[in-house]
Amino acid sequence: MAGAFLLAAPLAAQSDRYSEYTKAAASGPKAQVLTASVFGADGAEWFSGAAFLPDGRILLAGSSLGPRLTPDGRETVLGPDGEPPSASATPPDPSYANEFFTWNHGQATGFALLLDSSASRITAIWRLPWKSGGFTDACAGSGDLCYLTGKGRRSALSATLIPLENLLPEDLSDEGFFLLALDVRQGPRWIRFVPATGGTPTLQAGPDDTLLWRTENATFQLNSEGIRLNTFSPPPGLRGPIKNVKTHWVADPLHNRLIRYGEHNHHTGREPWRCPVLNLYHPDQTLQLELYNWLGPIVGHDAYRLQSDSAIRGLACLPDGDIILHAWSDGGNSAMLREPFDLSRPATRFRGLGWQMWGAGVLSLAYVIRLDSNTWEVKAGTQLASFLPQQNKPNSLRIDDMAVLPDGTVALATHSATAMIQTPNALSTMGRGSAPPPSGPGLIVLNPTLDRLLFASALPATGTASVRHRDGAIVTASHGPVRRIAYLSSALAQTVPKNPEIPALPVPLQRPFQSSHGGGLIDAYCVILQIP
Amino acid sequence: MKITTALLILASCSLHALATEPAAYLFEPERPSFHTVLMEWRDPANKFWPSFFSGKPAEPGQLVLRPSPSLNARLTFVYQAQAEDRAHQRLLNNILPSRPSAQNDPLPLLVHLDQIERVQLPAPTGNTPKKNNKDDRVGSALIKGRITVADREFPISGEAELKFEGSADNLPGSQVMIRLEATLPAEATGGTSPTLIRLYAQAFAPGSRPLKR
């Protein structure tokens, strides 16, 4: 339990914060929705990656559980096809509310589709042989080249059109992660494979037309020919599970550093239990800098009264070296509001959207913070929450994933416990007229100074697959000249309200490249935004 | 007559509160279980980043406020935050040994507070502490002592704040936090300018149950 809020309640009665902040969110330029669309046939499909090609075309990648991807089988199969699944997959949970399909399902089969530059039309569809493995991420290279990664079986992938090369030839395990280079004009170029059992492979564009392929304990930097240039690994003592520490690693070769973030836990005899960790390492695995990393006994001391549990949950690096992180805390008395090297100094530039959190009690608060890589002070920051309009109180909002554009624009896949603040360009009709307040899965886009919403919308019926390593949805951002953001997940045809008096809401579509839900339990779902 | 009675009752309550406010507070290594001592080392010019330490009393000690003030507290430190890197901008990181932040052995830092003068106490609350036992009445005193840094000893003194709080038993003023700011000479950090230390030390009335947030 976190301590009570120190943030003072206003002396005079205030207007309802939900209405006030929704009104404020209407000002300023907003993102343009290029498309909000489903994709799939009568099976189960979801998106898990997007590659923004330099010319504006977009490749979307995901997984299908079959038995069909498209009604007419028009997709191009990358190699001799396998036997299709005989039937639609059985949901792991009959209500499909508590446990979702995941990319490591036995029927998972990776697929990709190419959209034109306006994101209005599908121009090509590819699929791996049935049941050879699902895709977990995608990334654009130069020209027509895209990269796709996923988890699969070496024996099944070896049967594709091109030879597979094992990056760790001494390990001949059949299960692992693969990386496919796909030329969208000419077809597959190469496949690389690493044996692996845990974690989720992901991709990121590296400097100088290289690619960063992230696996559980190593990040491989490859060139466009698939040749490994570097391997970044955490120090041996800090790999894998460590008691009372939950951390993740990000390799940032552009700035010659490895970054470790997450939380550590302390038996302090009092709050907080969770404390944020942010350590920077040199490529030779020696420690460069400790930020946050406060110890529970210090954070929770009565001198500071920062008893809210806090943890860093995601991180991205900008071309200028700045770091953008998102964090969670169970209250407002959080170490995240202090400078990362000085616990007793409030982060004065943490002004953000200016949402007041008084009266919140214990909840899940979200933080987005940009750190200045010259001074390591907080350059910008904001808190995010949902609200209880009737009670005029903040409530929980969770960030499931974060992506950043090179200029620092931040996209967040979120989940709101109650009413989220939406912008006028929201896709959801929730919160309008007699519709229920906008809650559940959502997409939020913040400007680089984190003080204005470019887009915020609940996305009902979406976020219904286990994408990469988490349930919900992910976001991804273009690293090229076209400033675009994609929200990727899956969607039911409509919501399934727990309370029968609440009407079911259809999945929000706008300029869809597939006109309607294709049937089956879930279709792949995406929202693609153009940032002004 | 009625007014006089009311005044008498009020005076009685106030005296009762005064009588129940503790006269002495204990520094104990084993009670409470959490760290009760905190110290910041700060560069007044903000050229270097600060260093943070937490710990406990090294041995039993006492702060007596009534009738005759006295103080004896030996404070030891076992945790240093952000201790692992050798960042050139971090105050003290090049003096104290590099080690994991959470290593639970005493650091070569010891504070001994042994003089208290000019004690100014806040008026007794006369009330049961509010929600969360917040009391937050503040007094002051001149406190003196010594700090040992890696075998070198320096005198410290400063006008300290005495912040009183209720305990988990709802006893008013049953715990006190000393907040002392003092300046150390440049030799303490091996630098060229003086260093500011900010020390927080909590003490608890005998038999009270420490407030755990």
Side-chain angles (χ1 to χ4, degrees), chain A residues 4 268-271 287 289-292 295 297-298 301-305 307 340-344 375, chain B residues 34-36 38 40 42 49-50 52 54 79 82-85 90 101 132 136 165 177 200 202 212-213:
Chain A
T268 61
R270 63 179 172 185
E271 298 288 353
L287 184 64
L289 197 59
E290 272 186 295
L291 297 167
Y292 300 103
L295 303 160
I298 293 177
H301 194 278
D302 282 350
Y304 304 133
R305 293 185 178 173
Q307 292 91 350
F341 53 86
D342 190 346
L343 189 62
S344 68
T375 63
Chain B
F34 49 81
H35 287 195
T36 53
L38 186 83
E40 300 174 11
R42 310 190 72 86
W49 290 353
F52 294 83
S54 72
Y79 277 6
Q82 301 181 333
E84 291 181 69
D85 68 8
R90 191 99 59 193
S101 296
N132 293 326
D136 290 353
E165 291 203 299
M177 181 157 65
Y200 302 86
Q202 290 176 291
K212 190 166 93 170
R213 287 193 177 83

Side-chain angles (χ1 to χ4, degrees), chain B residues 76-108:
Chain B
T76 184
F77 300 86
V78 294
Y79 277 6
Q80 180 185 2
Q82 301 181 333
E84 291 181 69
D85 68 8
R86 298 283 87 195
H88 65 279
Q89 66 265 52
R90 191 99 59 193
L91 203 61
L92 272 185
N93 269 26
N94 293 320
I95 292 180
L96 298 177
S98 174
R99 66 177 209 170
S101 296
Q103 190 175 320
N104 208 358
D105 298 324
L107 286 152

Side-chain angles (χ1 to χ4, degrees), chain A residues 137-169:
Chain A
D137 202 2
C139 180
S142 58
D144 292 325
L145 196 58
C146 289
Y147 305 103
L148 297 144
T149 188
K151 186 179 181 185
R153 287 178 298 110
R154 195 165 52 90
S155 53
L157 292 162
S158 295
T160 53
L161 294 170
I162 46 174
L164 175 147
E165 183 182 312
N166 192 346
L167 277 190
L168 303 173

